[in-house]
Amino acid sequence: MDPAPDASSATSSQVLSDKSSPALSDNESSDSSVDNSSQSNTMSKMSGSPINNVPDPEFSEKDTITLMSTRILEIIFDYALNKFDDCRDRLEAGRPRFIEVLNEFVRAGAQIDMALPAFPFKSANKVYKALGFLPDKAEEIALARLHNMCRRIEEIYEPGAKVVIISDGLVYNDLLSISDRHTWLYGLALRAMAVEKGFTNIGFSRLRDFVSSDSDFKLPESLDEISYVANATNFRRFILNKFGKDDLDVDHLIAVDEDTRLTYQGYRRFLMSDLRHIFTLGADRTSNAYKRETKYLAKQMLVRGYAFAGAIKHNFPHHLRLSIHQSTGEHKVSMSLLNTKTGFTTPWHCSVALMADGEWMSAPMGDFKENPRMKIVDENGRPSYFREMTEEEFLEDRRQAEEAARLIEKPVVKELQKPERNENFVQWEGVTCDVKNGGKTKRLLDQVDGWLRGGTLTALMGVSGAGKTILLDVLANRSNSGVVHGEILVNGQPRNMASKSLSATVYQQDLQFSTATVKEALIFSALLRQPKTNPCVEKIAYAEEVLNLIGMEALADTIIGASGEYLNSEQRKRLSIGVELAAKPTTLLLLDQPLAGLDSQAAFSICQLLRQLAQNGLSILCVVNQPSARLLQTFDRLLLLGKGGRQLYFGKIGLSCKTMISYFERNGARPCNADENPAEWMLDVTSSTENSNESQDSSEIWKNSPECKAMKSKLAQLRKKFSAGTDLLDGSDTSDAVQQSTPGFDAMALQRAFYKYHCLENMQLRAASPTDPVVSWLTNGAVLHPPAYLS
């Protein structure tokens, strides 16, 4: 993932500022700030001795100075950005300008001053890219690299060199949802790291370097965390007012200026990934809308970048300009802060790993976490980097994990382990749903077909308004509005002939009692929703097995509380699934957006739980909104709906989503790039076709496709296999269509179930005799032995 790029110039002659810099925090120590007086002292030295080397008589003084500048520049070029094929050509384009700047320092025998806008704050994407919000080993490696570059210059040029890191953290942090406080803490920790590691050739800018003494904007003599945050907004306003341009035409600059175009493209790339977990996609934000919004945000960053570039040029006019981003090379040297084998070169947008061969590798944090050979190493009490285990370490680690798993292994719910359940099929054909709205009929589902097989996971996707939740309600027989037509069979039998405990539905809303504990919620669901013929003791035992199955036995006595109070998002979602499992569904589990609001690791954990449930025999249909490629591959099949509930695809997803991608590419979709999310790409190509004026849309393409014909053939085979009649919801005549409604609420059943639960939880249960009338009523005649947790 590319980091935030440089700010572009208004003209090609202006020195530009980079778009990712460290936190602009004040630290008054002399080794971590730039004294404005040192800038004037540097330039005053430029009348002294040129260099410490004795010049060759055959060379003029000018030639000797230029030769030294060239040697210094070659050292700097050794640290240049090298991830693009034309990087050397770009560097050479700016050589005359860079030599001219270096000649001024060498002629005066002065320290080489370089300015690098960099190290703003950790990426906003803490889900996939960065380990936390404070500097870690990646920043340490980058600072060491800059420090070593200066030390190498010092070996051939006695006055040496220094890199001043200029912050733009406060210029952009609010646009990226980074708090002013986190910006301060990142900068403060970065300065402390430089001091601790002895990086004496590294300096840091201060807010005061940008605010002159005669300015209307006044800063305190010394900034601490509170005063820094208090002045953050005014500082942004000051930079824009003094150095910005009200009539700046960003679109024109993008079109005519190469540096601006490169900056804009870089912004768009990193914004698409950094903000996706903050501004999530959903009903009110589609993939296309998100792209438009990030384009707008990138242009706003260009406006601020232009102003900040002017501030740098005004306050650091004589420094050699370094950059962390690809540029034309005419005005700044593009640097590689992490010289690793990958393209990730900015430490705040990735993590680093120490490989078994001793080399460092950079990549997004999520990539390292997926590798089972990587272990997180903590420094200063927080995660810092990854380390690749040797073969011996990996085998030992796996052995210990297996041993620990055996020690805590517990039996799973026996009722979910019957292999024959994997032969269960739920199939539907021609399902439609119509509702009346203002005297007109609106179609929510339009001839949807498909099937679910026990032991498999099926993803249900579609744009907003595609009828995904409506289809879940229809399959669960819980649709409370509209008229439903079609045929739904369970193992070839009409659904109304199947068990009432056929299915369970996990809705997106969290409907748990906040005052109950996790175990109480599961027991209450089991008592209330399992058949009355099941003894209460068996229901409670089943609920406890479900508790183990969802992996929450350690939280059994934890109060549920309000959202985020006692249980995190993943735990609450696991509990919602467990409450439905406690009802003992026999065939089908339906879930409406179970991954919403979860980070990537939590979402993957939920997918693993669903896979475990599927392997135990359930058919699972799950509504998901634009999952990552990693999450999408955990599903076996995909059912895709378009606007108005029209079917666009039903079939396998395939390894790396290749089966799904191949279908759409063969039917006219643009190719899916390697760096694209297949789910987002699929919704993009189908929605663009649906909204176009083409004569054949994605729905028609599906109806005429070989895949659709194969699906129809499969449904016919299932019908023949089970040799059963149909379950026409609307009868043989569409005029007699059945309007489904939610089953009536049985208040007496709820009262009886609660009373049973209350008795079992509070009374001292004894070994029961079937003749004991009280215990016989509680246990439906079963001999009662107190569960361990009630004793």
Side-chain angles (χ1 to χ4, degrees):
M1 184 61 60
D2 290 332
D6 292 329
S8 72
S9 60
T11 65
S12 60
S13 63
Q14 183 176 3
V15 179
L16 307 183
S17 80
D18 296 297
K19 282 301 108 206
S20 284
S21 319
L24 279 168
S25 55
D26 279 26
N27 187 323
E28 299 300 327
S29 62
S30 60
D31 59 358
S32 62
S33 63
V34 178
D35 191 339
N36 283 334
S37 63
S38 67
Q39 299 181 31
S40 59
N41 291 339
T42 296
M43 302 316 297
S44 66
K45 292 177 184 177
M46 293 189 177
S47 58
S49 174
I51 52 176
N52 58 303
N53 300 60
V54 178
D56 191 317
E58 296 183 4
F59 286 89
S60 66
E61 181 181 8
K62 179 179 180 182
D63 292 336
T64 304
I65 292 172
T66 301
L67 179 61
M68 176 57 69
S69 297
T70 301
R71 294 178 65 190
I72 294 172
L73 186 61
E74 286 302 321
I75 293 176
I76 297 174
F77 279 1
D78 285 345
Y79 294 81
L81 191 64
N82 55 14
K83 65 179 181 178
F84 299 101
D85 294 336
D86 61 346
C87 61
R88 189 69 194 191
D89 294 336
R90 291 177 181 270
L91 292 172
E92 292 299 330
R95 179 182 288 272
R97 177 180 178 83
F98 304 146
I99 293 294
E100 180 184 347
V101 174
L102 291 172
N103 280 347
E104 293 298 316
F105 290 102
V106 175
R107 184 178 296 110
Q111 172 184 278
I112 305 296
D113 288 332
M114 293 173 278
L116 174 64
F119 302 91
F121 34 70
K122 279 294 191 182
S123 166
N125 187 348
K126 308 299 190 301
V127 173
Y128 180 69
K129 296 176 74 170
L131 281 168
F133 69 89
L134 292 176
D136 51 39
K137 181 64 76 174
E139 276 81 0
E140 179 185 333
I141 293 175
L143 291 178
R145 181 172 166 81
L146 295 173
H147 173 73
N148 292 336
M149 178 184 70
C150 295
R151 293 295 298 271
R152 283 187 58 191
I153 293 174
E154 190 175 339
E155 291 175 0
I156 66 168
Y157 178 67
E158 186 175 350
K162 188 171 186 176
V163 176
V164 179
I165 296 174
I166 303 177
S167 167
D168 65 353
L170 273 188
V171 178
Y172 306 101
N173 67 309
D174 60 321
L175 293 178
L176 303 179
S177 299
I178 303 293
S179 70
D180 295 334
R181 182 172 183 268
H182 279 185
T183 305
W184 159 270
L185 292 174
Y186 179 86
L188 195 67
L190 196 70
R191 294 162 189 261
M193 177 184 287
V195 173
E196 177 188 354
K197 301 299 179 181
F199 299 146
T200 54
N201 296 101
I202 304 295
F204 297 91
S205 67
R206 304 181 306 164
L207 294 187
R208 191 171 296 282
D209 294 330
F210 294 88
V211 182
S212 59
S213 57
D214 59 348
S215 172
D216 293 336
F217 175 44
K218 303 297 181 182
L219 285 170
E221 290 298 322
S222 177
L223 287 179
D224 57 17
E225 180 181 348
I226 294 178
S227 57
Y228 175 89
V229 172
N231 283 279
T233 301
N234 287 335
F235 178 80
R236 285 188 285 266
R237 185 180 296 115
F238 166 78
I239 293 295
L240 285 171
N241 290 343
K242 184 170 183 179
F243 300 102
K245 287 183 64 177
D246 294 336
D247 59 346
L248 183 66
D249 190 342
V250 176
D251 292 316
H252 177 71
L253 285 175
I254 294 172
V256 302
D257 184 76
E258 179 69 6
D259 264 338
T260 305
R261 185 182 64 82
L262 290 172
T263 299
Y264 174 66
Q265 291 175 343
Y267 278 152
R268 287 184 54 192
R269 283 194 299 270
F270 97 86
L271 285 173
M272 286 292 292
S273 64
D274 273 33
L275 301 183
R276 62 182 301 177
H277 299 288
I278 297 175
F279 303 109
T280 56
L281 303 180
D284 59 342
R285 185 180 293 110
T286 64
S287 178
N288 288 335
Y290 180 63
K291 290 178 181 179
R292 288 194 301 270
E293 291 164 2
T294 51
K295 287 180 181 179
Y296 174 79
L297 194 57
K299 292 178 182 179
Q300 293 302 305
M301 294 182 71
L302 284 177
V303 172
R304 296 194 185 187
Y306 182 93
F308 192 62
I312 292 179
K313 183 178 180 182
H314 178 78
N315 294 287
F316 300 88
H318 305 295
H319 287 59
L320 177 68
R321 277 299 317 281
L322 307 180
S323 167
I324 59 169
H325 306 294
Q326 183 188 23
S327 68
T328 60
E330 298 176 58
H331 312 294
K332 52 201 173 187
V333 184
S334 296
M335 304 293 292
S336 180
L337 297 183
L338 295 175
N339 191 30
T340 63
K341 295 180 180 179
T342 69
F344 300 94
T345 57
T346 48
W348 51 93
H349 277 132
C350 66
S351 298
V352 294
L354 180 61
M355 309 306 289
D357 60 5
E359 290 194 24
W360 287 97
M361 180 77 72
S362 62
M365 172 259 298
D367 286 359
F368 288 135
K369 282 191 172 182
E370 290 180 359
N371 187 343
R373 292 181 179 268
M374 290 294 180
K375 295 188 69 173
I376 293 181
V377 179
D378 288 354
E379 291 184 321
N380 300 319
R382 64 177 185 271
S384 181
Y385 64 98
F386 292 84
R387 183 178 67 83
E388 183 184 31
M389 292 183 284
T390 63
E391 184 67 21
E392 294 77 11
E393 288 177 316
F394 176 67
L395 293 176
E396 177 61 20
D397 185 76
R398 189 166 62 177
R399 186 195 66 78
Q400 292 179 0
E402 291 174 352
E403 181 66 23
R406 282 195 295 269
L407 291 176
I408 64 174
E409 188 176 14
K410 295 183 179 180
V412 296
V413 181
K414 295 180 180 179
E415 287 78 0
L416 296 179
Q417 291 183 316
K418 296 179 181 179
E420 60 270 17
R421 285 191 175 179
N422 286 333
E423 295 303 317
N424 285 351
F425 278 89
V426 178
Q427 64 186 88
W428 59 94
E429 296 184 59
V431 172
T432 64
C433 180
D434 298 321
V435 295
K436 289 187 177 181
N437 185 12
K440 297 182 179 180
T441 300
K442 181 179 180 181
R443 176 146 293 186
L444 303 180
L445 293 174
D446 190 359
Q447 298 295 321
V448 179
D449 303 324
W451 77 86
L452 300 173
R453 176 182 176 273
T456 61
L457 271 172
T458 302
L460 174 56
M461 296 181 61
V463 297
S464 176
K468 304 183 292 294
T469 303
I470 298 296
L471 180 59
L472 287 189
D473 289 338
V474 169
L475 294 178
N477 199 19
R478 296 175 67 94
S479 178
N480 55 10
S481 63
V483 179
V484 178
H485 301 263
E487 184 178 43
I488 301 176
L489 303 176
V490 179
N491 292 336
Q493 299 292 327
R495 181 178 56 182
N496 56 16
M497 295 177 60
S499 168
K500 292 184 178 179
S501 58
L502 167 72
S503 66
T505 306
V506 181
Y507 289 96
Q508 186 177 2
Q509 297 83 0
D510 189 353
L511 303 176
Q512 311 305 329
F513 292 114
S514 60
T515 55
T517 65
V518 171
K519 183 172 66 178
E520 288 171 347
L522 296 176
I523 292 175
F524 190 62
S525 177
L527 290 172
L528 179 63
R529 300 174 62 188
Q530 286 188 25
K532 63 176 67 176
T533 54
N534 291 0
C536 291
V537 173
E538 291 184 11
K539 294 179 181 180
I540 294 174
Y542 188 90
E544 192 159 336
E545 295 295 347
V546 170
L547 181 70
N548 299 333
L549 184 63
I550 63 176
M552 296 187 70
E553 54 269 37
L555 301 171
D557 297 318
T558 302
I559 297 175
I560 298 173
S563 180
E565 186 176 2
Y566 299 109
L567 301 178
N568 61 32
S569 298
E570 178 191 346
Q571 292 163 348
R572 298 181 75 87
K573 190 61 67 176
R574 283 177 173 269
L575 177 59
S576 295
I577 295 173
V579 166
E580 295 303 317
L581 291 177
K584 211 171 184 179
T586 60
T587 304
L588 184 59
L589 181 63
L590 306 168
L591 303 101
D592 189 6
Q593 300 189 36
L595 310 183
L598 303 180
D599 59 38
S600 62
Q601 287 301 113
F604 187 68
S605 177
I606 293 298
C607 285
Q608 288 180 313
L609 173 61
L610 296 179
R611 172 57 63 189
Q612 180 184 0
L613 298 178
Q615 289 172 346
N616 286 331
L618 287 175
S619 303
I620 297 180
L621 180 63
C622 179
V623 176
V624 289
N625 278 338
Q626 295 161 309
S628 66
R630 179 191 182 197
L631 294 179
L632 187 57
Q633 289 180 73
T634 62
F635 293 88
D636 302 298
R637 287 185 176 84
L638 168 69
L639 172 57
L640 178 64
L641 300 180
K643 283 285 187 181
R646 295 186 294 174
Q647 190 162 351
L648 307 183
Y649 181 74
F650 178 78
K652 292 183 178 181
I653 296 174
L655 183 64
S656 300
C657 307
K658 293 298 184 183
T659 304
M660 176 200 73
I661 292 174
S662 174
Y663 166 79
F664 289 107
E665 288 182 342
R666 282 188 285 104
N667 287 283
R670 63 173 177 80
C672 180
N673 298 326
D675 60 346
E676 280 191 280
N677 181 344
E680 294 181 3
W681 169 83
M682 173 189 63
L683 293 177
D684 182 45
V685 297
T686 54
S687 62
S688 60
T689 304
E690 292 284 300
N691 296 328
S692 68
N693 294 322
E694 297 179 13
S695 58
Q696 195 176 34
D697 61 16
S698 298
S699 178
E700 292 299 321
I701 293 174
W702 164 251
K703 291 177 181 178
N704 298 320
S705 68
E707 288 80 1
C708 182
K709 293 181 175 63
M711 179 195 67
K712 296 284 189 182
S713 175
K714 176 69 173 179
L715 291 172
Q717 290 175 8
L718 291 175
R719 185 189 299 273
K720 182 177 179 181
K721 173 184 176 181
F722 293 108
S723 300
T726 60
D727 176 23
L728 290 176
L729 295 180
D730 56 354
S732 58
D733 184 358
T734 57
S735 62
D736 297 326
V738 178
Q739 183 167 337
Q740 297 187 34
S741 60
T742 303
F745 177 73
D746 191 343
M748 291 300 296
L750 175 63
Q751 184 179 9
R752 287 193 300 270
F754 180 79
Y755 183 61
K756 288 182 181 182
Y757 164 75
H758 180 76
C759 290
L760 286 169
E761 281 290 291
N762 293 283
M763 68 184 293
Q764 287 292 329
L765 295 176
R766 59 191 183 278
S769 167
T771 60
D772 187 325
V774 176
V775 176
S776 179
W777 171 76
L778 284 171
T779 63
N780 290 356
V783 176
L784 179 63
H785 299 285
Y789 67 85
L790 291 179
S791 60

Coordinates of all heavy atoms in Angstrom, one line a residue, residues 554-600:
A554 N -15.3 -19.1 29.3 CA -14.6 -18.3 30.2 C -15.4 -17.1 30.6 O -15.1 -16.4 31.6 CB -13.2 -17.9 29.7
L555 N -16.4 -16.7 29.8 CA -17.2 -15.5 30.0 C -18.6 -15.9 30.4 O -19.5 -15.1 30.4 CB -17.3 -14.7 28.7 CG -15.9 -14.2 28.2 CD1 -16.1 -13.5 26.8 CD2 -15.3 -13.2 29.2
A556 N -18.8 -17.1 30.9 CA -20.2 -17.6 31.2 C -20.9 -16.8 32.2 O -22.1 -16.5 32.1 CB -20.1 -19.1 31.8
D557 N -20.2 -16.2 33.2 CA -20.9 -15.5 34.3 C -20.7 -14.0 34.1 O -20.9 -13.2 35.0 CB -20.3 -15.9 35.6 CG -20.6 -17.3 35.9 OD1 -21.7 -17.8 35.7 OD2 -19.7 -18.0 36.4
T558 N -20.3 -13.6 32.9 CA -20.1 -12.1 32.6 C -21.4 -11.5 32.2 O -22.2 -12.1 31.4 CB -19.1 -11.9 31.4 OG1 -17.8 -12.5 31.8 CG2 -18.9 -10.5 31.1
I559 N -21.7 -10.4 32.8 CA -23.0 -9.7 32.4 C -22.9 -9.1 31.0 O -21.8 -8.6 30.6 CB -23.2 -8.5 33.4 CG1 -23.4 -9.1 34.9 CG2 -24.4 -7.7 33.0 CD1 -23.5 -8.0 35.9
I560 N -23.9 -9.3 30.3 CA -23.9 -8.8 28.9 C -23.7 -7.3 28.8 O -22.9 -6.8 28.0 CB -25.2 -9.3 28.2 CG1 -25.3 -10.8 28.2 CG2 -25.3 -8.7 26.7 CD1 -26.6 -11.3 27.6
G561 N -24.5 -6.6 29.5 CA -24.4 -5.1 29.5 C -24.8 -4.5 28.2 O -25.2 -5.1 27.3
A562 N -24.6 -3.1 28.2 CA -24.8 -2.4 27.0 C -23.7 -2.6 26.0 O -22.7 -3.2 26.3 CB -24.9 -0.9 27.3
S563 N -23.8 -2.2 24.7 CA -22.8 -2.4 23.7 C -21.5 -1.9 24.1 O -21.3 -0.7 24.4 CB -23.3 -1.8 22.4 OG -22.4 -2.0 21.4
G564 N -20.5 -2.8 24.1 CA -19.1 -2.5 24.5 C -18.8 -2.3 25.9 O -17.7 -2.0 26.3
E565 N -19.8 -2.6 26.8 CA -19.6 -2.3 28.2 C -18.9 -3.5 28.9 O -17.9 -3.2 29.6 CB -21.0 -2.1 28.9 CG -20.9 -1.8 30.4 CD -22.2 -1.5 31.0 OE1 -23.3 -1.7 30.3 OE2 -22.3 -1.1 32.2
Y566 N -19.3 -4.7 28.7 CA -18.6 -5.9 29.2 C -18.1 -6.8 28.2 O -17.1 -7.5 28.4 CB -19.6 -6.6 30.2 CG -20.0 -5.8 31.4 CD1 -21.4 -5.3 31.4 CD2 -19.2 -5.4 32.4 CE1 -21.8 -4.5 32.5 CE2 -19.6 -4.6 33.4 CZ -20.9 -4.2 33.5 OH -21.3 -3.4 34.5
L567 N -18.8 -6.9 27.1 CA -18.4 -7.8 26.0 C -18.1 -7.0 24.8 O -18.8 -6.0 24.5 CB -19.6 -8.8 25.6 CG -20.1 -9.7 26.7 CD1 -21.3 -10.5 26.1 CD2 -19.0 -10.6 27.2
N568 N -17.0 -7.3 24.1 CA -16.7 -6.6 22.9 C -17.6 -7.0 21.7 O -18.4 -7.9 21.8 CB -15.2 -6.8 22.5 CG -14.8 -8.2 22.2 OD1 -15.6 -9.0 21.7 ND2 -13.6 -8.6 22.6
S569 N -17.4 -6.4 20.5 CA -18.3 -6.7 19.4 C -18.3 -8.1 19.0 O -19.3 -8.7 18.7 CB -17.9 -5.8 18.2 OG -18.0 -4.4 18.6
E570 N -17.1 -8.7 18.9 CA -17.0 -10.1 18.5 C -17.7 -11.0 19.5 O -18.5 -12.0 19.1 CB -15.5 -10.6 18.4 CG -15.4 -12.0 18.0 CD -14.0 -12.5 18.1 OE1 -13.1 -11.7 18.3 OE2 -13.8 -13.7 18.1
Q571 N -17.5 -10.8 20.8 CA -18.2 -11.6 21.8 C -19.7 -11.5 21.8 O -20.4 -12.5 22.0 CB -17.6 -11.3 23.2 CG -16.1 -11.6 23.4 CD -15.5 -10.9 24.6 OE1 -16.1 -10.0 25.1 NE2 -14.3 -11.4 24.9
R572 N -20.2 -10.3 21.6 CA -21.6 -10.1 21.5 C -22.2 -10.8 20.3 O -23.3 -11.4 20.3 CB -22.0 -8.6 21.4 CG -21.5 -7.9 22.7 CD -21.9 -6.4 22.6 NE -23.4 -6.2 22.8 CZ -23.9 -6.0 24.0 NH1 -23.2 -6.1 25.1 NH2 -25.2 -5.9 24.1
K573 N -21.4 -10.8 19.2 CA -21.9 -11.5 18.0 C -21.9 -13.0 18.2 O -22.8 -13.7 17.8 CB -21.0 -11.2 16.8 CG -21.5 -11.7 15.4 CD -22.9 -11.0 15.1 CE -22.8 -9.5 14.9 NZ -24.1 -9.0 14.5
R574 N -20.9 -13.5 18.9 CA -20.8 -15.0 19.2 C -22.0 -15.3 20.1 O -22.6 -16.4 19.9 CB -19.5 -15.3 19.9 CG -18.3 -15.4 19.0 CD -17.0 -15.7 19.8 NE -15.9 -16.0 18.9 CZ -15.6 -17.2 18.4 NH1 -16.2 -18.2 18.9 NH2 -14.6 -17.3 17.6
L575 N -22.3 -14.5 21.0 CA -23.5 -14.7 21.9 C -24.8 -14.8 21.1 O -25.6 -15.6 21.4 CB -23.5 -13.7 23.0 CG -24.7 -13.8 24.0 CD1 -24.7 -15.2 24.7 CD2 -24.7 -12.7 25.0
S576 N -25.0 -13.8 20.2 CA -26.2 -13.8 19.4 C -26.3 -15.1 18.6 O -27.4 -15.7 18.5 CB -26.1 -12.6 18.4 OG -26.1 -11.4 19.1
I577 N -25.2 -15.6 18.1 CA -25.2 -16.9 17.4 C -25.6 -18.0 18.3 O -26.4 -18.9 18.0 CB -23.9 -17.2 16.7 CG1 -23.7 -16.1 15.6 CG2 -23.9 -18.6 16.1 CD1 -22.3 -16.2 14.9
G578 N -25.0 -18.0 19.5 CA -25.2 -19.0 20.5 C -26.7 -19.1 21.0 O -27.2 -20.1 21.2
V579 N -27.3 -17.9 21.1 CA -28.7 -17.8 21.6 C -29.6 -18.5 20.5 O -30.5 -19.2 20.9 CB -29.1 -16.4 21.8 CG1 -30.6 -16.2 21.8 CG2 -28.5 -15.8 23.0
E580 N -29.3 -18.4 19.2 CA -30.1 -19.1 18.2 C -29.7 -20.6 18.2 O -30.6 -21.4 18.0 CB -29.8 -18.4 16.9 CG -30.2 -17.0 16.7 CD -31.7 -16.9 17.0 OE1 -32.5 -17.7 16.6 OE2 -32.1 -15.9 17.7
L581 N -28.5 -20.9 18.4 CA -28.1 -22.3 18.5 C -28.8 -23.0 19.6 O -29.1 -24.2 19.6 CB -26.6 -22.5 18.6 CG -25.8 -22.1 17.3 CD1 -24.3 -22.3 17.6 CD2 -26.2 -22.9 16.1
A582 N -29.0 -22.3 20.7 CA -29.6 -22.9 21.9 C -31.1 -23.3 21.6 O -31.7 -24.2 22.3 CB -29.6 -21.9 23.1
A583 N -31.7 -22.7 20.6 CA -33.0 -23.1 20.2 C -33.0 -24.5 19.4 O -34.1 -25.0 19.1 CB -33.6 -22.1 19.3
K584 N -31.8 -25.0 19.2 CA -31.7 -26.3 18.6 C -32.2 -26.4 17.2 O -33.1 -27.3 16.9 CB -32.3 -27.4 19.5 CG -31.6 -28.7 19.5 CD -32.2 -29.6 20.6 CE -31.4 -31.0 20.6 NZ -31.9 -31.8 21.7
P585 N -31.8 -25.5 16.3 CA -32.2 -25.7 14.9 C -31.7 -27.0 14.3 O -30.5 -27.4 14.5 CB -31.6 -24.4 14.2 CG -30.4 -24.1 15.0 CD -30.8 -24.4 16.4
T586 N -32.5 -27.6 13.5 CA -32.1 -28.9 12.9 C -31.4 -28.8 11.6 O -30.6 -29.7 11.3 CB -33.3 -29.8 12.8 OG1 -34.2 -29.2 11.9 CG2 -34.0 -30.1 14.1
T587 N -31.6 -27.8 10.8 CA -31.2 -27.8 9.4 C -30.5 -26.5 9.0 O -29.4 -26.5 8.4 CB -32.4 -28.1 8.5 OG1 -33.0 -29.3 8.9 CG2 -31.9 -28.2 7.0
L588 N -31.1 -25.4 9.3 CA -30.7 -24.1 8.7 C -30.4 -23.0 9.7 O -31.1 -22.8 10.7 CB -31.9 -23.7 7.8 CG -31.7 -22.4 6.9 CD1 -30.5 -22.6 5.9 CD2 -33.0 -22.2 6.1
L589 N -29.3 -22.3 9.4 CA -28.9 -21.1 10.2 C -28.8 -20.0 9.3 O -28.0 -20.0 8.4 CB -27.6 -21.4 11.0 CG -27.1 -20.2 11.9 CD1 -28.1 -19.9 13.0 CD2 -25.8 -20.5 12.5
L590 N -29.6 -18.9 9.5 CA -29.6 -17.7 8.7 C -29.0 -16.6 9.5 O -29.3 -16.4 10.7 CB -31.0 -17.4 8.2 CG -31.7 -18.5 7.5 CD1 -33.2 -18.2 7.4 CD2 -31.1 -18.8 6.2
L591 N -28.1 -15.8 8.9 CA -27.5 -14.7 9.6 C -27.5 -13.4 8.7 O -27.1 -13.5 7.6 CB -26.0 -15.0 9.9 CG -25.8 -16.3 10.8 CD1 -25.3 -17.4 9.9 CD2 -24.7 -16.0 11.9
D592 N -27.9 -12.3 9.4 CA -28.0 -11.0 8.7 C -26.8 -10.2 9.1 O -26.8 -9.6 10.2 CB -29.3 -10.3 9.0 CG -29.5 -9.1 8.1 OD1 -28.7 -8.9 7.2 OD2 -30.5 -8.4 8.4
Q593 N -25.8 -10.1 8.2 CA -24.6 -9.2 8.4 C -23.9 -9.5 9.8 O -23.8 -8.6 10.6 CB -25.0 -7.7 8.3 CG -25.6 -7.4 7.0 CD -25.7 -5.9 6.8 OE1 -24.9 -5.1 7.3 NE2 -26.8 -5.5 6.1
P594 N -23.5 -10.7 10.0 CA -22.8 -11.0 11.3 C -21.4 -10.4 11.4 O -20.9 -10.4 12.5 CB -22.8 -12.5 11.3 CG -22.7 -12.9 9.8 CD -23.6 -11.9 9.2
L595 N -20.9 -9.9 10.3 CA -19.5 -9.4 10.3 C -19.5 -7.8 10.4 O -18.5 -7.2 10.5 CB -18.8 -9.8 9.0 CG -18.8 -11.3 8.7 CD1 -17.9 -11.5 7.5 CD2 -18.3 -12.1 9.9
A596 N -20.7 -7.2 10.4 CA -20.8 -5.8 10.5 C -20.2 -5.2 11.8 O -20.5 -5.7 12.8 CB -22.3 -5.3 10.3
G597 N -19.4 -4.2 11.6 CA -18.8 -3.5 12.8 C -17.6 -4.3 13.4 O -17.1 -3.8 14.5
L598 N -17.1 -5.3 12.8 CA -16.0 -6.1 13.3 C -14.7 -5.7 12.6 O -14.8 -5.5 11.4 CB -16.3 -7.6 13.3 CG -17.5 -8.1 14.0 CD1 -17.6 -9.6 13.8 CD2 -17.5 -7.8 15.4
D599 N -13.6 -5.8 13.2 CA -12.3 -5.6 12.5 C -12.0 -6.9 11.8 O -12.7 -7.9 11.9 CB -11.2 -5.2 13.5 CG -11.0 -6.2 14.6 OD1 -11.1 -7.4 14.3 OD2 -10.7 -5.8 15.7
S600 N -10.9 -6.9 11.0 CA -10.7 -8.1 10.2 C -10.4 -9.4 11.0 O -10.9 -10.4 10.6 CB -9.5 -7.8 9.3 OG -8.3 -7.6 10.1

